[in-house]
Amino acid sequence: MASRKPATPQTTAQQLAAIIKSARNTMRKDKGLNGDLDRLPMLTWIMFLKFLDDMELMRETNAQLAGQPFRPDLAPPYRWRDWGADPTGMTGEDLIAFVNNDEAMRPNGSRGAGLFYYLRGLRSAAGADRRDVIGTVFRGMQNRMADGYLLREVINQINRIHFTATQEMHTLSRLYETLLREMRDAAGDSGEFYTPRPAVRFMVQVMDPRLGETVLDPACGTGGFLVEAFSHMQAQCRCVADEKTLQTASIRGGEAKSLPYLLAQMNLLLHGLDHPQIDPGNSLRVPLRDITDQDRVDLILTNVPFGGEEDRGILGNFPKDRQTAETALLFLQLIMRRIKRPGAGKDRGGRAGVIVPNGTLFGDGIAARIKEDLLKHYNLHTIVRLPEGVFAPYTDIPSNLIFFDRSGPTREIWYYQVSLPEGRRKFTKTKPMEDADFADCLAWWSDRAEGPNAWRTSAADVLKYDSEGRLISVNLDIKNPHSLEALEHREPGDLIDDILIKEDRVLEILREIRSELSQAA
């Protein structure tokens, strides 16, 4: 009988991918779940509780070794080790009742609060620790699995992940990004939670957050900007004090929707941020006039919500002549107000990189007044124009990256048009934007010159006033003067003049060539 070939040992990545795949396949059998938009949040909250318990065990061990007292975030029997770690533990209807019900039979045999009911009620005394995060996460969550035996299978599968292992954490953080991208693709009109990572990485790279600075994303979704900024600053850490600064004073976010709030918490935890400081309230809820220097930050990186509308209570937080139903314009005003003023060693003040829809560039009325404020009181130095399809399949609305700081009024604005790869008409879900698509723009950023993809205009040419000094328009939608689209909109006389100039130059070159040929003969 032929001997069986020994199986090749799986890598950590293969093992973790197999665990996640197995858990998702188990979830597909459950009638309470409908598609990835249900399955991935389920998977996340289960992973979240396993992660918390692994971290708690590690902190408890460190406290004992240091001879210090330790207070757990979760009390028994609500820790993962009490109800999730035993593969033969609570299952079936008993497990569903323990997870879902306000009161149920608990794993230790006593009656008391159910798991979610207990987690939703967690509060800290001072209002600033993990218990507040856990309570906020679970106040917006519910268990959608209907079969307790399948739920036990999933719990047993996730129990095989070791969140205390550095290699597993690193691999799982990348796997989680893949899950978030899949969720974006399945989310329909909820796809705004996920910003394409090549755009995120480019913006973080050119903004270059430095250790000691505070980075804010007031509409953080699943936390892409914050994760990338955290990783960028982590590479700058050289000592324990640097790590403490990174962990406690560097990353801030805001996310009002419960699902992306949970996803962002997990994303940041997996990437190494011990206590993510994400505000679960609407970032627009504070009146602009109440924002003080203490609320301002060094750097804001965000993708403002497209096309949303806010209620009248939120609009009242903005000046009467700057109130608009368009959420993107409200967030733009908030960002302008929340970056630091110049001073205290920062000559340029705070800075911002923001993804905005095309309509923000050419909008009139209130939009024009907001852009007038931007140009007169901030330095809008760069606009990067993105090709169609960057946010596919969520939306085909053309988008732009705008960059500004508080160093003074805008004098000139540089534009850069990111090109599509050769032979492509647009980016798509199956052929999305990649990091390489930003390579030319990245090279141009620090060594600027006009060219086929780069041009500039003065702020004076953009701000249009009537004879009485009243604002008419602020159109930032300046087309690439080297493109066919720009040629289509030029006056016929201008086109003829341009052609004649080029023809004269061609004749001049021909004469030079003829002269050189004559000399050679």
Side-chain angles (χ1 to χ4, degrees):
M1 184 176 177
S3 60
R4 182 177 296 175
K5 185 178 179 180
T8 304
Q10 285 189 317
T11 65
T12 301
Q14 289 171 330
Q15 291 169 354
L16 287 170
I19 290 170
I20 298 298
K21 182 179 179 181
S22 178
R24 293 174 71 182
N25 286 339
T26 301
M27 287 180 174
R28 286 189 174 91
K29 304 173 189 174
D30 192 279
K31 292 181 172 61
L33 302 178
N34 182 25
D36 280 343
L37 203 55
D38 279 347
R39 287 190 286 267
L40 296 182
M42 274 289 307
L43 191 63
T44 298
W45 74 251
I46 295 170
M47 288 168 58
F48 184 79
L49 291 177
K50 173 66 163 69
F51 175 89
L52 288 176
D53 198 49
D54 280 3
M55 293 300 103
E56 193 111 295
L57 283 166
M58 191 163 64
R59 286 195 296 270
E60 186 174 5
T61 300
N62 291 340
Q64 288 173 349
L65 291 173
Q68 297 173 343
F70 175 77
R71 180 185 176 183
D73 294 328
L74 303 185
Y78 300 104
R79 304 167 303 179
W80 179 273
R81 73 195 84 162
D82 302 318
W83 61 272
D86 182 0
T88 62
M90 183 179 275
T91 188
E93 292 182 3
D94 292 340
L95 179 57
I96 293 294
F98 170 63
V99 172
N100 291 354
N101 294 354
D102 290 356
E103 184 181 342
M105 186 65 69
R106 301 183 297 184
N108 60 5
S110 66
R111 289 196 67 81
L115 178 64
F116 270 38
Y117 185 83
Y118 166 79
L119 295 173
R120 288 170 185 145
L122 284 175
R123 304 282 194 286
S124 68
D129 68 20
R130 285 184 189 84
R131 283 170 292 172
D132 297 290
V133 172
I134 298 165
T136 302
V137 163
F138 283 92
R139 279 194 287 279
M141 284 292 108
Q142 57 180 307
N143 167 49
R144 293 185 179 275
M145 288 190 74
D147 189 318
Y149 297 101
L150 293 176
L151 178 56
R152 167 50 64 184
E153 274 190 55
V154 174
I155 290 168
N156 289 348
Q157 287 153 351
I158 298 304
N159 194 52
R160 294 160 56 199
I161 298 174
H162 306 291
F163 288 99
T164 51
T166 303
Q167 188 178 3
E168 288 200 19
M169 284 284 283
H170 179 69
T171 304
L172 196 60
S173 66
R174 288 181 292 163
L175 270 175
Y176 191 71
E177 282 287 338
T178 302
L179 295 178
L180 293 177
R181 187 167 61 248
E182 289 180 24
M183 187 171 181
R184 183 277 312 267
D185 294 346
D189 62 358
S190 297
E192 77 272 13
F193 298 158
Y194 185 93
T195 304
R197 292 307 178 253
V200 170
R201 283 189 283 269
F202 168 77
M203 293 173 71
V204 170
Q205 196 164 354
V206 297
M207 288 287 93
D208 188 25
R210 308 309 298 167
L211 189 64
E213 293 185 320
T214 301
V215 179
L216 168 70
D217 183 347
C220 70
T222 58
F225 278 112
L226 300 180
V227 163
E228 198 63 34
F230 177 82
S231 299
H232 187 89
M233 290 188 284
Q234 193 171 40
Q236 302 165 30
C237 291
R238 298 290 180 268
C239 60
V240 173
D242 289 349
E243 282 287 347
K244 184 176 181 182
T245 298
L246 178 64
Q247 287 286 344
T248 60
S250 300
I251 301 296
R252 301 286 184 273
E255 180 50 59
K257 295 180 181 178
S258 58
L259 174 56
Y261 179 83
L262 164 67
L263 300 174
Q265 289 285 344
M266 194 70 208
N267 203 8
L268 287 161
L269 288 167
L270 286 174
H271 282 84
L273 185 60
D274 292 341
H275 181 202
Q277 297 184 48
I278 311 296
D279 178 0
N282 187 340
S283 294
L284 302 174
R285 70 186 184 278
V286 178
L288 288 192
R289 62 181 176 273
D290 291 347
I291 294 173
T292 66
D293 284 341
Q294 288 185 325
D295 303 311
R296 295 186 171 95
V297 297
D298 301 286
L299 174 58
I300 294 179
L301 289 161
T302 191
N303 175 12
V304 296
F306 289 19
E309 291 190 7
E310 300 293 335
D311 60 41
R312 296 301 305 175
I314 292 295
L315 297 188
N317 295 328
F318 295 81
K320 285 189 176 180
D321 62 345
R322 302 291 190 276
Q323 294 178 6
T324 169
E326 174 51 55
T327 303
L329 293 172
L330 297 179
F331 267 96
L332 183 55
Q333 293 180 77
L334 173 72
I335 293 161
M336 290 157 60
R337 191 63 64 96
R338 288 206 61 178
I339 56 176
K340 284 183 177 178
R341 303 176 187 186
K346 279 192 167 293
D347 296 336
R348 303 181 68 83
R351 59 202 192 281
V354 186
I355 302 178
V356 297
N358 227 35
T360 302
L361 298 192
F362 59 74
D364 287 329
I366 292 173
R369 289 198 286 274
I370 294 168
K371 287 181 288 186
E372 181 188 29
D373 293 339
L374 179 61
L375 295 178
K376 284 191 166 184
H377 304 293
Y378 300 79
N379 177 25
L380 175 63
H381 53 81
T382 312
I383 297 177
V384 175
R385 314 217 63 175
L386 301 180
E388 190 178 343
V390 170
F391 285 85
Y394 165 58
T395 180
D396 276 336
I397 296 174
S399 305
N400 306 269
L401 316 180
I402 67 171
F403 300 90
F404 58 90
D405 57 45
R406 296 197 75 162
S407 60
T410 304
R411 289 182 172 80
E412 68 174 15
I413 307 163
W414 277 97
Y415 287 81
Y416 191 95
Q417 176 71 58
V418 175
S419 299
L420 283 161
E422 191 172 347
R424 298 276 298 279
R425 294 180 59 190
K426 59 184 288 189
F427 291 114
T428 63
K429 172 183 170 180
T430 54
K431 291 184 177 180
M433 175 173 258
E434 298 178 357
D435 290 318
D437 296 310
F438 281 106
D440 290 342
C441 186
L442 203 55
W444 166 87
W445 187 273
S446 55
D447 187 18
R448 300 189 176 194
E450 294 195 39
N453 290 71
W455 64 103
R456 56 183 158 177
T457 189
S458 69
D461 289 340
V462 169
L463 291 161
K464 302 292 184 185
Y465 297 92
D466 64 16
S467 58
E468 302 294 323
R470 291 184 294 256
L471 183 67
I472 300 173
S473 68
V474 184
N475 184 13
L476 296 171
D477 187 24
I478 310 298
K479 309 298 181 188
N480 185 347
H482 312 291
S483 68
L484 290 174
E485 184 182 8
L487 289 174
E488 289 171 0
H489 291 86
R490 293 183 65 184
E491 293 294 327
D494 292 339
L495 284 172
I496 292 169
D497 290 342
D498 197 34
I499 291 168
L500 288 171
I501 291 169
K502 287 182 171 63
E503 289 289 343
D504 288 343
R505 178 59 183 148
V506 169
L507 289 171
E508 184 181 341
I509 292 169
L510 288 172
R511 291 188 189 99
E512 289 173 0
I513 293 171
R514 185 172 63 182
S515 174
E516 289 182 10
L517 288 172
S518 298
Q519 291 174 7

